[in-house]
Amino acid sequence: MGLREVLTPFTVWKRVFDEPVTIKNPIGRPGADRYRGFHQNDMDKCIGCGTCETICQNAAIDMVPIEGVEPEKGDSGLRPQIDYGRCCWCALCVDVCMTGSLTMSNEYTWVDTDPDKFRFIPGIDGDWKDDVAGYEREGQRALSGVERIHMEEMEPEARICNFDEIVAGYTREEAVLEADRCVECGLCVATCPAHMSIPDYIAAVRDQDYDRGLQLLYETNPFSEVCGRVCTHKCESSCAALHEGDPIAIRWLKRHIIDEVPFDRRIELIGQPAEPNGRKVAIIGAGPAGLTAAFDLARAGTSVVVYETLEHAGGMMRYGIPEYRLPYDALDRDIGVIQAMGVEIKTSCRVGRDVMMEELQRENDAVILAIGLHMGRSTRVPGTDGPGVEKAVDLLRRITDGEEVPVPEQLVVIGGGNVAMDIARSMARLQKAKYGEVGITLTALEDIDHFLADPEEVVESREEGVEIFDARGPQEVMRDASGAVTGLRTWHVKSIFDAEGRFAPAYDENDERVHAGSMVIEAIGQAADTSLLGDALTEALEWNRGRIRIDDAFRTSEPWLFAAGDAVKGPDVITAVADGHRVARTVMEEFAAREVMQ
């Protein structure tokens, strides 16, 4: 060691009288305005999506349950817990936060002898919200796109002239761009009735691995081609992306996967069913619930026969949804996959006429009742009895079958749900073909913001010339001296339910309108035709307000009979699919229990 190295430490004494650049006691000194200090979380904004946990490269964030915060639609009920032994204060969690709830205080001092205290739940443990300064995401800056990729569709002037499918579907380039917007939070999975693996199949689109995407779809939904077009997409209403902009087009991405895989390849990817297990199940109704149950049971090796009253399988998917929304060749491909698993479908075969319920009970190990809601309900206002008043479901079925239906120049539709929009738009197409113009008025009890129809259905109905009057209650179908329908008289609706929540519409009689038309179509709900059960079984079953009573596993009060689908839960394809899975699982559990007892 040289002399210079020995004397170097003493050279610092020349600085002893210089002004210090450090602070003797840093406690209380504020950090810079944009300093990345300790995390803050606005509990009113946080939805527990977990994007902060996913992006953290140091595994410093865990999503944990919080007392008093319950899971609900669009909110997992979980909140981020920060481990400051791992955190590097990079603030990526703040940058990716979908609601802007997560920020960072400019507070930088924290002294504690307990290391566990440094595992911290912002918004619950302590409070840094008094610090106005700190780090937060700048303005509307986002790490993912906020606008949905547009899907091409037919213009109103072109589509009103035919029943061709309106939407074109995404190209591969468009689908990848839309899939890139997904942060894979998984809130959509909880909201989907069938709990489809939505983030995983969206990731498959992003990777352009359509084989994997299709396999993921068929794990939970044998009607992915149908649901890719007409699903009510409840999942999108809980998408974390809607807090920044548009929700991810989950329905369209599902359709994109199924459109990219040829029919034969689908069957190859799904694989062959299990070896026959010797069990036999009869299913009544070839709608989404019955055919989903058939798919699951057949894949498990069960012999399944489905009995369908109408000429073609599909139930209300075929006979209640117009072809411009759901092309029937798409429906047929989904049904074809189910048949490829060994399911036999007997159409034009009515239980109670062509085959008796007692026979099905005797020859099968279980019977599943999966009938749809094929009977229209009536408003029962004066004038509804007689010619000129039709039920929407009846007309839709006749249109599907190619039967001739009456097409007046002016008609009125009663209802604010999807069926009302479907019949209004179908009749609009027939009017356009016959008269060259549309003359349809639609009235509904609900105000426009509370229509049960999908918002896009309402928009497209208006684009196609349907005139909509909301908050109007039907009072009388008007008829002339000869009995011919001349219109519908309505009053303004002040409220639909009473203080106890019971259906009891109240009207303003001074606000009256007469909507001209030579036909009135009622689209206010549907009912199931349960006459096929017969008097003895109808008497033996337990009922709940006109519907067959079932338990949580879809068992009826008769041990051999199970029930699912629209007749017990109400109309919705994806819910019916979920019910089909559940009832099939229950039947298989019953079979396993019987084997144990034997």
Side-chain angles (χ1 to χ4, degrees):
M1 179 180 294
L3 180 62
R4 182 175 180 180
E5 284 77 12
V6 172
L7 297 178
T8 294
F10 297 99
T11 63
V12 300
W13 286 103
K14 66 182 180 180
R15 305 292 185 189
V16 69
F17 298 108
D18 290 352
E19 187 72 23
V21 295
T22 59
I23 295 177
K24 189 173 185 179
N25 180 10
I27 304 298
R29 179 195 180 197
D33 284 349
R34 294 276 291 166
Y35 186 79
R36 300 172 186 173
F38 301 115
H39 293 77
Q40 303 174 123
N41 193 18
D42 187 334
M43 301 303 283
D44 293 332
K45 290 184 178 179
C46 183
I47 57 174
C49 64
T51 51
C52 53
E53 178 186 43
T54 302
I55 204 169
C56 183
Q57 300 299 299
N58 297 327
I61 301 178
D62 295 308
M63 300 302 294
V64 299
I66 301 297
E67 185 177 353
V69 179
E70 299 296 330
E72 59 182 6
K73 177 183 175 182
D75 188 337
S76 70
L78 305 177
R79 295 296 182 263
Q81 175 180 268
I82 316 296
D83 183 348
Y84 285 120
R86 292 176 176 270
C87 180
C88 69
W89 284 269
C90 66
L92 278 176
C93 55
V94 174
D95 288 337
V96 80
C97 179
M98 302 300 288
T99 64
S101 69
L102 203 60
T103 58
M104 300 178 83
S105 164
N106 72 338
E107 181 67 47
Y108 65 95
T109 57
W110 189 350
V111 179
D112 204 297
T113 58
D114 183 359
D116 289 336
K117 291 291 180 65
F118 293 93
R119 298 186 68 193
F120 172 75
I121 304 175
I124 299 294
D125 300 335
D127 189 2
W128 309 104
K129 288 185 179 180
D130 291 339
D131 299 312
V132 176
Y135 182 80
E136 62 183 26
R137 196 175 71 185
E138 292 182 5
Q140 296 300 312
R141 180 172 59 86
L143 296 186
S144 59
V146 298
E147 292 185 357
R148 174 177 292 193
I149 300 301
H150 175 69
M151 180 182 285
E152 292 297 325
E153 63 179 56
M154 238 190 288
E155 293 298 324
E157 297 77 13
R159 66 184 190 235
I160 193 62
C161 299
N162 56 66
F163 279 78
D164 294 344
E165 186 173 18
I166 292 174
V167 293
Y170 280 143
T171 64
R172 288 197 173 196
E173 293 77 12
E174 291 168 342
V176 169
L177 288 172
E178 183 62 18
D180 273 340
R181 299 178 55 231
C182 177
V183 295
E184 302 183 24
C185 68
L187 291 176
C188 47
V189 178
T191 308
C192 173
H195 303 305
M196 298 188 72
S197 303
I198 297 169
D200 293 333
Y201 74 64
I202 290 178
V205 173
R206 189 165 53 242
D207 298 338
Q208 301 216 330
D209 187 348
Y210 294 108
D211 284 358
R212 178 166 63 91
L214 182 122
Q215 289 172 323
L216 288 167
L217 294 181
Y218 269 92
E219 285 178 0
T220 49
N221 192 347
F223 282 102
S224 290
E225 187 152 5
V226 169
C227 288
R229 287 167 164 82
V230 300
C231 183
T232 48
H233 51 97
K234 297 178 175 68
C235 52
E236 295 179 19
S237 67
S238 62
C239 177
L242 65 79
H243 294 276
E244 294 187 317
D246 297 330
I248 308 301
I250 298 171
R251 175 174 61 177
W252 298 142
L253 291 175
K254 177 163 50 245
R255 171 187 170 168
H256 176 72
I257 292 172
I258 207 82
D259 284 351
E260 290 293 320
V261 183
F263 178 79
D264 291 342
R265 180 60 176 160
R266 296 180 204 177
I267 297 174
E268 182 181 342
L269 289 168
I270 294 167
Q272 296 300 310
E275 290 297 317
N277 57 26
R279 299 290 187 180
K280 295 175 63 179
V281 173
I283 297 177
I284 305 170
L291 291 179
T292 298
F295 178 77
D296 288 354
L297 290 166
R299 284 179 58 75
T302 301
S303 174
V304 181
V305 179
V306 180
Y307 298 87
E308 171 57 50
T309 298
L310 298 172
E311 185 179 354
H312 299 284
M316 291 302 289
M317 294 182 294
R318 185 186 303 275
Y319 292 98
I321 302 175
E323 200 165 14
Y324 59 79
R325 290 180 58 206
L326 176 59
Y328 300 141
D329 58 350
L331 172 60
D332 288 337
R333 283 189 291 272
D334 276 346
I335 295 173
V337 172
I338 294 169
Q339 290 176 303
M341 296 299 107
V343 174
E344 181 182 359
I345 304 175
K346 293 185 176 182
T347 57
S348 300
C349 182
R350 179 176 173 80
V351 175
R353 181 192 64 196
D354 304 304
V355 60
M356 304 310 292
M357 185 69 78
E358 295 80 7
E359 181 183 346
L360 297 181
Q361 178 186 358
R362 184 173 61 253
E363 296 183 355
N364 292 276
D365 296 290
V367 177
I368 299 174
L369 187 67
I371 56 177
L373 302 175
H374 289 270
M375 297 172 60
R377 297 185 182 276
S378 175
T379 59
R380 299 187 182 276
V381 300
T384 51
D385 292 332
V389 178
E390 300 278 354
K391 303 292 190 301
V393 289
D394 296 336
L395 288 176
L396 288 169
R397 181 168 58 250
R398 291 164 63 186
I399 292 170
T400 296
D401 282 337
E403 297 179 16
E404 186 175 347
V405 298
V407 184
E409 289 189 67
Q410 191 75 29
L411 63 86
V412 184
V413 176
I414 305 173
N418 282 335
V419 173
M421 302 300 159
D422 286 343
I423 191 58
R425 298 175 67 188
S426 295
M427 295 302 291
R429 283 158 170 74
L430 298 178
Q431 284 182 333
K432 185 70 173 179
K434 186 173 182 178
Y435 303 109
E437 58 185 19
V438 175
I440 295 179
T441 299
L442 183 144
T443 71
L445 283 177
E446 300 84 4
D447 64 77
I448 197 72
D449 293 331
H450 294 90
F451 270 27
L452 297 179
D454 294 341
E456 58 263 36
E457 279 259 357
V458 178
V459 170
E460 291 172 359
S461 294
R462 282 176 162 160
E463 289 175 345
E464 293 166 6
V466 177
E467 188 176 14
I468 296 176
F469 291 88
D470 64 338
R472 307 298 307 181
Q475 302 303 311
E476 181 186 7
V477 174
M478 311 291 288
R479 295 179 182 273
D480 62 18
S482 68
V485 171
T486 60
L488 178 71
R489 182 165 58 87
T490 65
W491 289 343
H492 175 70
V493 177
K494 294 191 295 185
S495 63
I496 299 177
F497 302 99
D498 63 17
E500 283 72 40
R502 294 171 298 195
F503 181 74
Y507 304 106
D508 179 359
E509 300 179 16
N510 295 317
D511 187 347
E512 180 175 289
R513 284 179 179 267
V514 174
H515 311 278
S518 54
M519 175 190 286
V520 172
I521 302 174
E522 295 180 299
I524 62 163
Q526 296 92 250
D529 179 5
T530 57
S531 62
L532 60 88
L533 298 173
D535 293 339
L537 182 55
T538 300
E539 182 67 26
L541 287 169
E542 294 180 5
W543 296 79
N544 179 25
R545 296 183 178 179
R547 292 181 177 177
I548 298 172
R549 183 185 294 276
I550 58 171
D551 65 12
D552 291 340
F554 295 89
R555 301 180 184 90
T556 71
S557 55
E558 293 294 302
W560 56 274
L561 183 65
F562 304 80
D566 292 357
V568 294
K569 284 290 191 70
D572 180 9
V573 174
I574 188 62
T575 299
V577 166
D579 289 355
H581 286 309
R582 185 66 185 94
V583 73
R585 187 163 65 248
T586 297
V587 169
M588 288 188 280
E589 289 169 353
E590 291 284 337
F591 291 165
R594 292 177 197 174
E595 291 176 3
V596 171
M597 292 179 65
Q598 293 172 353

